[in-house]
Amino acid sequence: MRWIAAVVLLNFIYSVLSTSPDDGEPYLHVMARSSVYNVGVKRAIYCKGRNLPEMIDWISPKDTVVEGRSSKNTRVYVERSKNDTLASSLVALIIQDAMIEDSGNWTCRAGSLNESIEITVGVKAVISNKYETIEGEEGKSVKLDCVAKGYPAPIIQWYLENDPISNDHKKYILKMKGDNYQLEIKSLTHRDTNEYVCRVTQKALSHFSDRRVQLIVNHKPFLVDENNEVSYSKYKTEEVYAIMNETKNITCTVIANPPPTFRWYRRQNGYDEELQDTETVLTPEDGNSSVFVLRTFDESALGEYKCSANNSKGHVSIIYHVSLGNKPNPPDFIQLAGTSTSELTFNITCSTCNMATAEEDMSEDPTNLTVLGYSFALVPVQEGFLPDWDAANEFLVDIKEYNSTLFTVGPLQNSTTYHVRVRTRNAAGFSDWVEVTPNPTTDLASQLTLSFILILVICSVYPIVY
Ligand SMILES: *[C@@H]1O[C@H](CO)[C@@H](O)[C@H](O)[C@H]1NC(C)=O
Ligand SMILES: *[C@@H]1O[C@H](CO)[C@@H](O)[C@H](O)[C@H]1NC(C)=O
Ligand SMILES: *[C@@H]1O[C@H](CO)[C@@H](O)[C@H](O)[C@H]1NC(C)=O
Ligand SMILES: *[C@@H]1O[C@H](CO)[C@@H](O)[C@H](O)[C@H]1NC(C)=O
Ligand SMILES: *[C@@H]1O[C@H](CO)[C@@H](O)[C@H](O)[C@H]1NC(C)=O
Ligand SMILES: *[C@@H]1O[C@H](CO)[C@@H](O)[C@H](O)[C@H]1NC(C)=O
Ligand SMILES: *[C@@H]1O[C@H](CO)[C@@H](O)[C@H](O)[C@H]1NC(C)=O
Ligand SMILES: *[C@@H]1O[C@H](CO)[C@@H](O)[C@H](O)[C@H]1NC(C)=O
Ligand SMILES: *[C@@H]1O[C@H](CO)[C@@H](O)[C@H](O)[C@H]1NC(C)=O
Ligand SMILES: *[C@@H]1O[C@H](CO)[C@@H](O)[C@H](O)[C@H]1NC(C)=O
Ligand SMILES: *[C@@H]1O[C@H](CO)[C@@H](O)[C@H](O)[C@H]1NC(C)=O
């Protein structure tokens, strides 16, 4: 079918080209549109005419008649066919090696008939070093360059997260230094670590180009809490609850660049003793946190622990007060409340637990800690086998509203029956597990979409075969 369309299109173009009136009426037409050329290109622009009163001339933007090619005139000239007559003529304006000065209106004229096109000759701004990573130092300032030379003069703008940066004379200083549009960022902090984009635009040339600068600010460590909030105090204390005879992970998280070195200490009688056992001090791969695995076999494990993080820019530390907390009771009501192809929803409560109430009562009783949420473990049922809890996926859910009892876990596989067990979670740790019976099953993913696509494929293949 495609070739038919092509033939129709070609016929259409021919008919448009040949419908120029040949009924004796004078007619003149420039066979090109106003356009933008890059410096140095070669172009031929044709002007055609019929039944003309006079010869066709091309008039330059400086209002002079363009001459034919000669030894003196080799860059911009006209070329006429030897067959040119007033009845039918085609005259080419040749521009070799376009220059910025060629910009303007070029007119094809024969007597009082004329037609003009506007030509813009420009130089596309070229950005060297489109990607760069620059380091800055906390408290100092940094200058980001964006050099862009072009014609017409490009418009240059710096962006941060898609928002244009404006000169506020305090944090961001923008200066034009020759062809360099320079962004200075003052009083650097870790929050300035980001990608800065310089965008160069030449509307007349439909040209734009970006320069991306990744700024990395070297800064001292700052503590980060479990809600990912950054704390700017150098020392901090935190209450930690542990359950007797269970292990408790205490996680110390910071942001820092260069990556920090963590150290853990046991604090007793005003003396810090470093803890270096590689089985109790773990450093996850992200490099921004360190985990101390506290094993509370007796009361002697309780007390103060210190985590400190340092890098070349400074240090920060946090003291954990570890005391005993209660192991929460397990949930005593569990009901499957909804299923979908990828999720299961349960209605869960623990009537003997200390559940949060509407009044935000923050004072915690360590022997009756507020329930924070639940932990689910799910593993697909394999007929004839006991649940393999080691292979289970664990999902932690939070009680977001004090009265909510519905919790959804997923993503899960569709049409799959799961072994599910649940435990209550408080600041100290987890309750014992409770298994959910009967085993819930996710919904079957509808086969409709697949068969629909199949039908579409069959429908589109069939006529061609036919
Ligand atoms: C000039 O016209 C003749 C006859 O009309 C044609 O054969 C020839 O190709 C034309 N030459 C040019 C350069 O158009
Ligand atoms: C070219 O002609 C157009 C339309 O007449 C006019 O708007 C434009 O300013 C002219 N350009 C120059 C460079 O003179
Ligand atoms: C160009 O054509 C217009 C009419 O289309 C006419 O008014 C004008 O005088 C012509 N200009 C020249 C320079 O011949
Ligand atoms: C902790 O474990 C020890 C020994 O296994 C046991 O004697 C003690 O009763 C346990 N304590 C609690 C609170 O479970
Ligand atoms: C503590 O962290 C380690 C390593 O990330 C993990 O294997 C272990 O299950 C965690 N223990 C608890 C009680 O969360
Ligand atoms: C670690 O800290 C650096 C520097 O602040 C930050 O860019 C990076 O995202 C952090 N990594 C994690 C896993 O939080
Ligand atoms: C961090 O602190 C330790 C001990 O105080 C010191 O030996 C080490 O050089 C420090 N690291 C950096 C990067 O300053
Ligand atoms: C959860 O179960 C309880 C006890 O059956 C019931 O009163 C409550 O309405 C259920 N909640 C929802 C959201 O279904
Ligand atoms: C814990 O607090 C809840 C709610 O305040 C209460 O119902 C429960 O009896 C308390 N449990 C203990 C062991 O004190
Ligand atoms: C929980 O309480 C809030 C107001 O405190 C109410 O708007 C909401 O409907 C309640 N949700 C349930 C599931 O009862
Ligand atoms: C549904 O599960 C089957 C096998 O368990 C899988 O092949 C299919 O891709 C799943 N469909 C969706 C929509 O996840």
Side-chain angles (χ1 to χ4, degrees):
M1 291 289 266
R2 199 169 287 168
W3 64 273
I4 297 179
V7 167
V8 169
L9 186 64
L10 271 182
N11 279 339
F12 177 71
I13 292 170
Y14 276 112
S15 64
V16 167
L17 284 178
S18 54
T19 43
S20 33
D22 202 9
D23 51 8
E25 280 287 307
Y27 163 86
L28 177 143
H29 180 53
V30 176
M31 297 163 73
R33 289 185 203 181
S34 293
S35 42
V36 178
Y37 302 149
N38 278 313
V39 159
V41 300
K42 173 183 177 174
R43 283 289 178 276
I45 304 160
Y46 291 92
C47 181
K48 95 175 160 177
R50 291 216 175 101
N51 312 315
L52 296 172
E54 286 176 32
M55 292 258 289
I56 284 180
D57 275 326
W58 273 102
I59 318 293
S60 79
K62 297 190 183 82
D63 215 18
T64 58
V65 174
V66 181
E67 306 279 321
R69 184 185 174 125
S70 67
S71 54
K72 282 185 192 159
N73 189 32
T74 55
R75 199 180 66 83
V76 178
Y77 52 88
V78 294
E79 237 173 41
R80 297 169 195 278
S81 151
K82 288 197 184 73
N83 288 2
D84 242 18
T85 64
L86 288 178
S88 168
S89 86
L90 186 65
V91 178
L93 166 69
I94 311 287
I95 301 179
Q96 303 267 15
D97 188 14
M99 291 164 70
I100 287 171
E101 302 84 81
D102 297 335
S103 297
N105 286 326
W106 294 78
T107 304
C108 172
R109 186 173 72 193
S112 63
L113 290 175
N114 62 70
E115 191 177 334
S116 296
I117 63 165
E118 187 170 0
I119 288 174
T120 308
V121 180
V123 183
K124 283 184 185 165
V126 178
I127 294 184
S128 56
N129 231 347
K130 286 173 82 75
Y131 301 94
E132 200 179 354
T133 299
I134 286 182
E135 281 192 20
E137 302 299 317
E138 191 172 32
K140 303 255 169 62
S141 68
V142 71
K143 288 175 179 168
L144 311 183
D145 294 329
C146 186
V147 179
K149 208 191 290 191
Y151 184 88
I155 291 172
I156 312 178
Q157 175 71 58
W158 279 97
Y159 292 87
L160 175 56
E161 294 177 349
N162 291 326
D163 288 328
I165 299 175
S166 54
N167 193 343
D168 61 7
H169 306 286
K170 267 157 83 188
K171 180 75 183 169
Y172 301 117
I173 317 281
L174 289 158
K175 272 194 199 126
M176 198 75 208
K177 292 184 164 180
D179 299 317
N180 183 9
Y181 192 59
Q182 194 180 62
L183 167 66
E184 180 175 3
I185 308 173
K186 299 220 158 204
S187 318
L188 290 174
T189 75
H190 67 94
R191 286 183 297 263
D192 295 317
T193 291
N194 216 321
E195 187 186 63
Y196 295 79
V197 177
C198 170
R199 172 157 290 188
V200 172
T201 312
Q202 285 164 296
K203 215 173 158 211
L205 307 182
S206 305
H207 175 69
F208 74 87
S209 186
D210 285 346
R211 167 164 154 76
R212 294 171 179 271
V213 179
Q214 178 64 51
L215 174 65
I216 294 172
V217 178
N218 289 322
H219 65 92
K220 61 178 170 286
F222 294 107
L223 292 164
V224 180
D225 68 16
E226 68 265 29
N227 301 320
N228 255 332
E229 303 270 349
V230 176
S231 154
Y232 295 102
S233 55
K234 216 164 168 193
Y235 301 99
K236 229 182 126 186
T237 58
E238 197 177 302
E239 291 301 324
V240 172
Y241 299 105
I243 297 172
M244 191 55 91
N245 280 356
E246 289 187 14
T247 63
K248 169 81 181 183
N249 284 352
I250 305 177
T251 305
C252 173
T253 306
V254 301
I255 53 165
N257 199 60
T261 307
F262 289 94
R263 278 185 187 77
W264 285 88
Y265 301 90
R266 173 84 168 110
R267 274 212 142 176
Q268 266 170 326
N269 311 320
Y271 176 73
D272 288 344
E273 184 200 344
E274 190 169 352
L275 303 164
Q276 282 174 312
D277 185 349
T278 52
E279 281 184 18
T280 57
V281 177
L282 315 169
T283 304
E285 273 166 26
D286 66 19
N288 290 7
S289 66
S290 177
V291 179
F292 174 59
V293 183
L294 174 68
R295 292 165 220 258
T296 316
F297 295 125
D298 55 49
E299 304 243 337
S300 69
L302 307 175
E304 291 188 351
Y305 292 83
K306 182 169 96 172
C307 166
S308 81
N310 72 342
N311 66 9
S312 53
K313 309 296 290 184
H315 67 94
V316 71
S317 60
I318 179 165
I319 291 166
Y320 298 97
H321 291 283
V322 181
S323 56
L324 281 183
N326 69 302
K327 179 170 176 155
N329 290 336
D332 50 18
F333 175 83
I334 307 168
Q335 195 177 53
L336 184 64
T339 60
S340 76
T341 54
S342 61
E343 289 174 338
L344 294 172
T345 299
F346 298 92
N347 181 357
I348 298 183
T349 51
C350 172
S351 62
T352 61
C353 296
N354 178 9
M355 308 300 287
T357 52
E359 310 87 49
E360 294 269 323
D361 183 10
M362 292 313 282
S363 68
E364 288 271 48
D365 172 4
T367 64
N368 197 6
L369 294 165
T370 313
V371 170
L372 300 174
Y374 300 95
S375 151
F376 289 82
L378 281 86
V379 63
V381 168
Q382 291 201 284
E383 223 49 70
F385 290 93
L386 288 171
D388 178 12
W389 293 117
D390 287 341
N393 274 330
E394 189 171 352
F395 299 90
L396 292 183
V397 296
D398 293 323
I399 298 179
K400 292 207 181 77
E401 285 194 44
Y402 72 93
N403 54 359
S404 60
T405 63
L406 291 184
F407 301 93
T408 299
V409 294
L412 305 169
Q413 295 165 30
N414 74 73
S415 185
T416 305
T417 303
Y418 283 92
H419 291 291
V420 180
R421 59 181 191 174
V422 192
R423 54 184 176 166
T424 313
R425 187 160 66 86
N426 69 9
F430 301 97
S431 71
D432 291 329
W433 291 105
V434 181
E435 279 198 44
V436 179
T437 51
N439 294 325
T441 303
T442 52
D443 296 344
L444 176 65
S446 166
Q447 299 295 303
L448 185 69
T449 31
L450 187 59
S451 23
F452 186 64
I453 290 167
L454 267 178
I455 288 168
L456 274 185
V457 169
I458 290 167
C459 284
S460 53
V461 168
Y462 198 63
I464 295 171
V465 173
Y466 194 71

